[in-house]
Amino acid sequence: MKLVGDFHVHTVASGDAFSTIDELSKRGKELGLDVLAITDHGPAMPSSAHRYYFDSLIENVKVSNEVRILPGVEANIIHEDGSLDLPEKTISKLPFVIISFHVFSWNQNDVITNTKALINCINRYNNIKAIAHLNKPYYELDIKSITPLLVEKKIVVELNNKALDKDKDNWNSFKDIILYMEEKGVKFIISSDAHSLEQLGNFNEALNFADYCNLNEENVVNTSLKKLKDYLKIDL
């Protein structure tokens, strides 16, 4: 399976990553990637960037070393009403928004509240593109409740290389979730979740997991620029 871009990439601005956009794009070009989504952690992460960084990213970064750069964020759900840790004005302008729960920004622990918050988030913002590392969620979700909304809103589920590599004991149960979602019409995106230059474009375990699920390549949106444009409405 040939992937045209990496859509979960962190830079030094995240506070827990170690490469610049220039370094990452040079490496991306070497790897033959056409697109990189820069998805630094939202401000709820203690060491991450202020919202000014994300506003500046939108205005100033579009191409680096001949690689298309999508300004984005890995935004944290911070409230049961679905609000994220950036102003709506900023979120609405970012071309690639991934949402997730993290322990530093979410302190609920029941499936009903978690699911309600995720559904509220999806309904609140119009340009969410993906849900991050769903294979090992920090908080349990009602998958059957969220699946129809993902199909309706054309939000993809991420197969996160880093998370899948750390969570091989959970592959079988996650496979059941993926196959259920695929049957219902959900699409997927494969990404590295790179926090260093060496991790960029490393999709090995995510691709192994896709094979383990016998996932239909047609349902992986970053196997072609056309699918990215048509399904996620990304301007490339």
Side-chain angles (χ1 to χ4, degrees):
M1 193 182 295
K2 175 76 166 63
L3 303 176
V4 298
D6 197 342
F7 290 83
H8 190 158
V9 179
H10 294 273
T11 75
V12 289
S14 280
D16 64 346
F18 305 95
S19 301
T20 66
I21 292 175
D22 180 65
E23 291 169 335
L24 290 162
S25 62
K26 285 178 180 175
R27 178 60 178 154
K29 185 178 180 182
E30 291 172 358
L31 293 171
L33 298 175
D34 297 310
V35 189
L36 296 180
I38 302 301
T39 54
D40 286 306
H41 294 293
M45 167 104 172
S47 62
S48 193
H50 189 274
R51 69 176 178 85
Y52 294 155
Y53 164 79
F54 297 95
D55 289 330
S56 181
L57 189 66
I58 295 165
E59 295 297 327
N60 294 299
V61 183
K62 293 180 174 62
V63 178
S64 179
N65 295 302
E66 300 178 25
V67 175
R68 175 75 166 93
I69 302 297
L70 293 178
V73 62
E74 183 182 6
N76 301 287
I77 299 173
I78 58 174
H79 194 276
E80 190 176 334
D81 67 5
S83 54
L84 297 170
D85 56 341
L86 280 173
E88 288 194 36
K89 183 178 180 181
T90 301
I91 290 289
S92 68
K93 292 181 180 179
L94 285 164
F96 201 84
V97 177
I98 304 175
I99 59 172
S100 60
F101 292 105
H102 282 103
V103 294
F104 50 76
S105 54
W106 185 253
N107 60 7
Q108 303 296 325
N109 60 8
D110 69 279
V111 63
I112 294 174
T113 304
N114 300 338
T115 303
K116 181 179 179 181
L118 182 61
I119 288 173
N120 286 341
C121 183
I122 291 169
N123 284 323
R124 180 170 184 152
Y125 302 92
N126 293 323
N127 65 321
I128 294 169
K129 302 299 185 186
I131 299 179
H133 39 64
L134 197 60
N135 64 299
K136 192 177 182 181
Y138 293 96
Y139 302 95
E140 187 180 358
L141 296 165
D142 181 349
I143 297 299
K144 289 185 178 180
S145 293
I146 67 172
T147 295
L149 196 57
L150 300 181
V151 176
E152 176 191 345
K153 301 284 188 178
K154 294 190 173 181
I155 296 171
V156 296
V157 168
E158 179 191 56
L159 303 185
N160 183 302
N161 191 78
K162 180 176 286 187
L164 285 163
D165 187 36
K166 291 179 179 179
D167 192 33
K168 292 183 179 180
D169 291 342
N170 193 42
W171 275 26
N172 195 52
S173 59
F174 189 44
K175 175 183 177 180
D176 292 340
I177 291 172
I178 292 300
L179 293 180
Y180 171 81
M181 287 184 156
E182 184 180 33
E183 181 185 359
K184 298 299 181 181
V186 173
K187 305 296 184 184
F188 305 92
I189 197 163
I190 293 175
S191 59
S192 70
D193 195 0
H195 282 64
S196 69
L197 198 61
E198 292 74 21
Q199 294 169 358
L200 183 75
N202 182 356
F203 309 120
N204 291 341
E205 291 305 324
L207 290 170
N208 287 339
F209 178 75
D211 286 341
Y212 177 68
C213 296
N214 197 25
L215 192 65
N216 188 336
E217 184 174 332
E218 285 301 309
N219 294 324
V220 179
V221 297
N222 59 323
T223 54
S224 80
L225 295 177
K226 185 178 187 304
K227 279 191 279 188
L228 288 163
K229 292 176 183 178
D230 292 347
Y231 194 78
L232 291 182
K233 306 302 180 186
I234 295 174
D235 182 14
L236 297 171

